[in-house]
Amino acid sequence: MIKVLVRLLLYGCFVIGFSACSIDEKTDSVQTVVPWVKTVLASVDNQSTLELSGVVRARYETPVAFQLSGLIAARHAHAGQSVKKDQILFDLDTRDLLQAAQAAVAERAAAQAALATATVDVGRDRKLLAKNFVSKQALDRSRLVEQEARARLNAAWAREKQAQHALGYAKLRAEASGVLIEVSGEPGQVISFGQAIAVLAQDGEREIEVFFPENTRPRESGTVNLPDGNALPILLREAAGAADPASRTWRARYRIKQDHQDLSLGQVVKTRFMKTNGAGNTLKIPLGALDERGEGARIWQLREGKAQPVSAWIVALDNEHAWVRADLPENSHIIALGVNLLKPGMAVQALAQ
């Protein structure tokens, strides 16, 4: 019995010792596993793409207004309607204008009669002076009266023409062919001269209106994407002299260099511009390569099989990349993913590119 117990005891010790050795071997094998990491080459590149929405506008968008005040009698056009040059858009009530024209005609007739009377007086005084019946002073006075009558007649002619022009202004015509973007005037509305009651987008050249963020000045050139996937080059024509006080943006108008038949007024398009980020030594890295643990931004360099942190100063960011300045040579191996799990001096191995 004692021999059996001794044998069982020895067998148990053997099993426990073998299990402990197996656990130690597994622990050693786990500890010796070196994690794999994805790396990229840090490239010197301070250029990025700035994408902004733009709106297709006409080169000339003219506010349409009457040249005199009055009551709108009729409206002949609607928003979105295509119009031709000299086409009538609105009519004003002309009753007062007709009365003014008749008054100008009567004033001109009176001035003509006054001039005729003054001319007869000058002729009569000239004959009387030849016979020494009147003085030369009387003849001079008659001549001055004639000059005044002639001046009044010229003024009457001018006022009559003004009255005729006013009658013509009562019909508001399109200055050029195009499309009415907005129409606000309605029959029965009393308007003042110069008050815009419609906006005419003239046919011809089209432009792209873009609003840039306050900290980004409008670029000199760029591209606009068409619905069919093609891109057209655009050139800056004008930019606002100051940022908009409400939206804090810079308004810019870009001229399309090529054919633009596929673009319609008011269409929202995507524009692309090249943007410079920092100086010429700025590094472009994936956004996932940035690491921030409360001590400032840093990136991790793979050097001699170990991960080493390098302080970085962020210049710009977008959805996929970051532009930083760091004390790193170009084409250094940068760890791109999982940087939050790294420790200084941690052994890692790079995946094949």
Side-chain angles (χ1 to χ4, degrees), residues 114-131:
L115 178 60
T117 301
T119 302
V120 171
D121 290 343
V122 170
R124 182 169 51 250
D125 288 346
R126 185 180 294 112
K127 293 178 180 179
L128 293 175
L129 178 62
K131 297 179 181 180

Side-chain angles (χ1 to χ4, degrees), residues 37-43 283-286 288-290 298-303 308 310 326 328-329 331-337 339 342 350 353:
V37 293
K38 177 178 176 57
T39 61
V40 295
L41 294 178
S43 59
L283 299 177
K284 180 181 178 181
I285 61 174
L290 278 179
R298 59 183 178 178
I299 55 180
W300 291 81
Q301 179 187 11
L302 179 58
R303 187 167 61 235
Q308 300 294 346
V310 179
L328 280 176
N331 295 327
S332 297
H333 289 272
I334 302 299
I335 299 176
L337 296 174
V339 293
L342 299 177
Q353 298 294 327

Side-chain angles (χ1 to χ4, degrees), residues 196-215:
I197 54 177
V199 178
L200 175 64
Q202 297 185 19
D203 291 341
E205 187 177 356
R206 294 289 181 258
E207 294 183 341
I208 307 297
E209 185 177 50
V210 184
F211 290 87
F212 285 80
E214 183 180 14
N215 59 349

